[in-house]
Amino acid sequence: MPLKANDPNRKTWIEITENSDFPIQNIPFGVFLTRDDIVTIGTRIGDTAIDLGALHQLGYFKGIPLTDDIFLQDTLNDFIADGRKTWRAVRDRIAEIFDENNVTLKNNKEHRTRVLFTLDEIEMQMPVQVGDYTDFYSSKEHATNVGTMFRDPDNALLPNWLHIPVGYHGRSSSIIPSGIPIHRPQGQKLPQGADEPIFGPSRLLDFELEMAFITTDSNQLGEPIPIEEAESYIFGMVLFNDWSARDIQKWEYVPLGPFLAKNFASSISPWIVTLDALEPFRVEGPKPEKELLPYLQTSGKKSFDINLEVGITPQKGEETIVSKSNFKYMYWNMSQQLAHHTVNGCPINSGDMLASGTISGPTPDSYGSMLELSWRGSKPIKLKNGEERKFIEDYDKVTMRGFCQNHQSRIGFGEVSTEVLPVFKPKK
Amino acid sequence: MPLKANDPNRKTWIEITENSDFPIQNIPFGVFLTRDDIVTIGTRIGDTAIDLGALHQLGYFKGIPLTDDIFLQDTLNDFIADGRKTWRAVRDRIAEIFDENNVTLKNNKEHRTRVLFTLDEIEMQMPVQVGDYTDFYSSKEHATNVGTMFRDPDNALLPNWLHIPVGYHGRSSSIIPSGIPIHRPQGQKLPQGADEPIFGPSRLLDFELEMAFITTDSNQLGEPIPIEEAESYIFGMVLFNDWSARDIQKWEYVPLGPFLAKNFASSISPWIVTLDALEPFRVEGPKPEKELLPYLQTSGKKSFDINLEVGITPQKGEETIVSKSNFKYMYWNMSQQLAHHTVNGCPINSGDMLASGTISGPTPDSYGSMLELSWRGSKPIKLKNGEERKFIEDYDKVTMRGFCQNHQSRIGFGEVSTEVLPVFKPKK
């Protein structure tokens, strides 16, 4: 059954610029602070933010089983926990309310004033309280590049990589929305040739171009999610910058994995684009190179064609796009990741975030980290202002963007953009 | 200044058996479901559970700045966020209320009926909502034993181990209180000598004897916690069983660390014993064998003398104690763990849980896991009923206990006890 809200022919009475990431077919979900300092759940059409809390109070969601305060919350966790049937009903209703042929809200000035905001009147917040955050390592190109640089070019992929969507647990408390600056982290590093570590600012600060999906409540402790049901537990996706300090990582990561090299910050785009909105952009992922165990076998279009790019804006000068990649390069798909994550009975909750791992493509200009783009610093990247970058410098702004495009429509994620400040100085 | 609630001479009008873990000097905090199906925050003296929500409603905390509903919650997170000054005032007041010379509550039958419960009238819940859970690897004996078995006896400790309290992120969603059974996990394993993994139940299911500490809100994103302030952010401690599936772990853990081998369950004792209550049992930890970087240097008594034991109760037969260890063996102390965790600016929140890693002592009978006790299965452990154990079998119950004891008093943690059920069978 086609999704009503996805109707490519629908037009809206909200003004939209050409190539907007947020046509009426998108209807993402986010949380924002309004001009009245109220936190509310909202959506976005074009450059107009829509207060769903106000819409609900005004009766626009009548007939949909929703609690009165479902949108008057500072996270989407409870709404996401309501499940896919509810998400779809709400998205369909929003499409109707803003359809160009529907004048109910359009002609009600008082209601419009309460419901609609320009982007400069709002401040985006974290869309969910992330209970647990998992980071996968699911791009074969990325894993191969890293294995080549750090271990052995002839055995770049470890023996488990083609059998398991390798993943590890990350830190929820330091996931922040686009626009929040971060400080350059400090930590222990082992200088080249030294026996003893030193302490100081990371000199190899890096981004990782990733996407993350957000889940709903699903299984009980002990109960796996079968792979064929996995997608029904996925609410939507965001862009995800998995900040990484390569010098700290190299010294600390054996034998239990990355820790302080990652947990100082991860930045996300604030609008969650639903899996439903991405439906027209399904594609098949790469064919498995080894036969997979049955619990990981999928068929059909389980990946999505999402164009991705990363730009660096130095303190003085304009932005240079340093990478163009695509989500479809991922070797392991989200169904496989979720089925694997729960096959041992690990419970998944509403608002959990599962990131892809760095999304590197097959060509050097599609690599998803400075580590790979500058090949460990051996091939500096030229910026438009004449400067070079091996890694990220203080006051650089790193911006990631993503969108799907076909002949009928464009569904985008907006951006996640983060400035890097110097090392934190404690107040005296 | 001595802590008033710790007065070793204080006696209570509540009946207490000899050698109770919960004398009036303990006053731990927990969350329980009462006979009326109400969730409340409480404490425990002897075998009597005390409803702090009811005590507060009846005015017994007058004069202490507490919100009306601070104890009428299903987690301790908000109370912990109130900070150490408040925890101390509440603990002192509880000591006064139950002092043998105070007859206010003792002689008020109606109040007593509302406030006091026997243990069989309540059901312990998770004491906190764990935002993030971190597991360290801070016992030198454990790290050496594992390194000897899995890597190289001559280089058992990796180069970073004596410089860094090595840690990694774990899964919050599967932390459960004592008494909740778990299912044996399934997953991928590489059979000895095979090239391809197989899928099935873990055959090497293990416990890890650990303790965990619970933090309050502290630093902002980007801001380290100086090591000399670290303890003021620690609310208290629990016993922690870090369930582990060794066969799954061995195949999955390179290069990003343990994942499904750990995240199916971790079990905790439900009463949080405050760091204040442990004050009389401070001891110095092992001397660092390498000079530490300044941000990790501590002096004085930063560890605690906590006796620990693990028992296995098979389906048929009585319990056998298989390990006796002590928290004081830990090479890295909690101040070092917290200072390290935040030195890069990683934010710590109220209710976060930081576990020690397996606490193995110097002698084979003090090892904290079956992996070490049975030396990878080569030395089976004899149980009292005549059976042998290399690892944990279905229907075994694993129980961990911990207590401090000096000539004046005993402060204990109670126990964390968990039965292992067979692999989960989905309903048809």
Side-chain angles (χ1 to χ4, degrees), chain B residues 157-298:
Chain B
L157 283 187
L158 288 166
N160 57 15
W161 201 92
L162 291 171
H163 297 280
I164 287 181
V166 170
Y168 66 108
H169 298 293
R171 182 86 190 170
S172 303
S173 72
S174 52
I175 302 179
I176 51 175
S178 179
I180 308 276
I182 63 167
H183 287 280
R184 176 176 299 275
Q186 301 196 86
Q188 287 196 29
K189 313 170 286 183
L190 190 68
Q192 196 81 32
D195 288 331
E196 305 278 319
I198 58 167
F199 181 82
S202 170
R203 292 291 165 218
L204 309 182
L205 180 62
D206 202 355
F207 59 79
E208 291 195 338
L209 170 61
E210 306 195 8
M211 297 198 70
F213 65 93
I214 291 100
T215 59
T216 182
D217 287 284
S218 46
N219 56 331
Q220 298 295 309
L221 184 78
E223 183 180 359
I225 297 177
I227 194 157
E228 57 275 12
E229 293 175 21
E231 280 190 352
S232 65
Y233 295 105
I234 300 175
F235 175 64
M237 298 178 72
V238 293
L239 302 166
F240 193 98
N241 182 351
D242 178 23
W243 290 102
S244 300
R246 302 298 177 194
D247 36 7
I248 295 173
Q249 186 173 353
K250 196 178 168 197
W251 171 235
E252 74 170 359
Y253 93 105
V254 281
L256 299 178
F259 183 52
L260 297 188
K262 300 276 192 175
N263 66 15
F264 59 95
S266 311
S267 306
I268 64 167
S269 56
W271 292 105
I272 304 179
V273 176
T274 63
L275 213 59
D276 282 343
L278 299 172
E279 199 56 41
F281 305 96
R282 282 186 179 273
V283 288
E284 284 190 35
K287 289 261 169 296
E289 296 174 27
K290 297 243 185 193
E291 193 182 338
L292 298 177
L293 285 163
Y295 82 95
L296 288 174
Q297 290 174 8
T298 55

Side-chain angles (χ1 to χ4, degrees), chain A residues 171 173 260 263 344 347 352, chain B residues 171 173 188 260 263 344 347 352:
Chain A
R171 182 87 190 170
S173 71
L260 297 188
N263 66 15
N344 67 346
D352 286 351
Chain B
R171 182 86 190 170
S173 72
Q188 287 196 29
L260 297 188
N263 66 15
N344 66 346
D352 286 351

Side-chain angles (χ1 to χ4, degrees), chain B residues 303-377:
Chain B
S303 190
F304 295 88
D305 181 4
I306 307 172
N307 302 286
L308 301 168
E309 66 173 34
V310 187
I312 297 176
T313 310
Q315 195 176 12
K316 289 176 183 167
E318 61 179 318
E319 182 182 60
T320 305
I321 300 300
V322 297
S323 173
K324 279 179 178 283
S325 186
N326 194 302
F327 184 74
K328 72 182 177 192
Y329 297 138
M330 302 305 293
Y331 186 87
W332 296 98
N333 61 49
M334 295 184 280
S335 296
Q336 292 168 325
Q337 291 168 340
L338 195 51
H340 182 65
H341 204 318
T342 60
V343 75
N344 66 346
C346 178
I348 303 287
N349 291 317
S350 177
D352 286 351
M353 209 170 267
L354 290 81
S356 56
T358 309
I359 305 167
S360 291
T363 56
D365 57 350
S366 65
Y367 293 166
S369 66
M370 290 303 286
L371 178 71
E372 295 162 89
L373 289 164
S374 78
W375 208 254
R376 225 176 167 174

Side-chain angles (χ1 to χ4, degrees), chain B residues 95 145 171 185 320 388 428:
Chain B
N145 288 338
R171 182 86 190 170
T320 305
E388 290 188 340
K428 288 295 166 195

